[in-house]
Amino acid sequence: MFIHTDDITAYIPQRTPIVMISGILEVDGPKTRTGLHIAPDNIFVENGVLTPPGLMENIAQTAAARIGYIAKQENSPVPLGFIGAVKDLEIFELPPAGQMIETTTEIGGEVFNATMVTGKVMYDGRVMAQCEMKIFINPQIQ
């Protein structure tokens, strides 16, 4: 059950066709969980599976959804973020189109406008991908 009540684009800066989360499942302190129904016509689907760039973008948007969710709770504008670095990316499997994946990010630390997050994508009880990301937040750009 998604916890947001309006379109997910209220929480993230991405727009179709690059929206890579269907909704927010949980925001609890440093932890965020989202779900994505992988549409067969998703821009990142090839040969019936979600490709590695789609998995990375899904992790990044899960981190962005946390920031957007908190901003909305505080009645503030949703800031724009940028991936600064990806570390230790591991792709174990590519999830099939037509299915739902669940992604979890956890904040490892925040220094100035840089946020370190770890992310994990799950499908059918199995880890599909995981990595660490450094995300830079620019509150001036919306």
Side-chain angles (χ1 to χ4, degrees):
M1 171 93 135
F2 296 125
I3 63 171
H4 69 85
T5 57
D6 44 5
D7 186 19
I8 193 62
T9 60
Y11 300 96
I12 60 174
Q14 291 79 8
R15 297 294 177 258
T16 303
I18 307 295
V19 174
M20 292 302 296
I21 57 177
S22 299
I24 300 169
L25 297 167
E26 174 186 24
V27 177
D28 184 15
K31 182 179 175 183
T32 304
R33 287 186 315 117
T34 64
L36 170 67
H37 175 263
I38 306 167
D41 64 348
N42 182 299
I43 192 168
F44 291 109
V45 168
E46 289 180 13
N47 301 316
V49 295
L50 186 62
T51 59
L55 291 167
M56 281 184 28
E57 186 62 26
N58 171 256
I59 292 169
Q61 288 185 29
T62 297
R66 173 186 178 270
I67 295 163
Y69 181 82
I70 291 168
K72 288 289 187 186
Q73 299 303 305
E74 296 173 349
N75 218 13
S76 301
V78 175
L80 187 59
F82 305 92
I83 299 171
V86 176
K87 181 180 171 189
D88 298 330
L89 173 65
E90 295 179 284
I91 307 287
F92 302 105
E93 292 184 61
L94 299 175
Q99 301 301 311
M100 179 76 79
I101 58 174
E102 186 176 300
T103 303
T104 303
T105 58
E106 190 160 350
I107 303 300
E110 296 174 289
V111 178
F112 299 111
N113 65 340
T115 302
M116 296 299 298
V117 300
T118 57
K120 183 182 293 187
V121 181
M122 302 288 293
Y123 166 68
D124 196 29
R126 299 186 314 272
V127 178
M128 299 286 109
Q130 61 188 19
C131 71
E132 294 179 18
M133 286 186 178
K134 184 183 299 182
I135 299 173
F136 292 94
I137 307 300
N138 188 341
Q140 307 306 318
I141 299 176
Q142 303 163 18

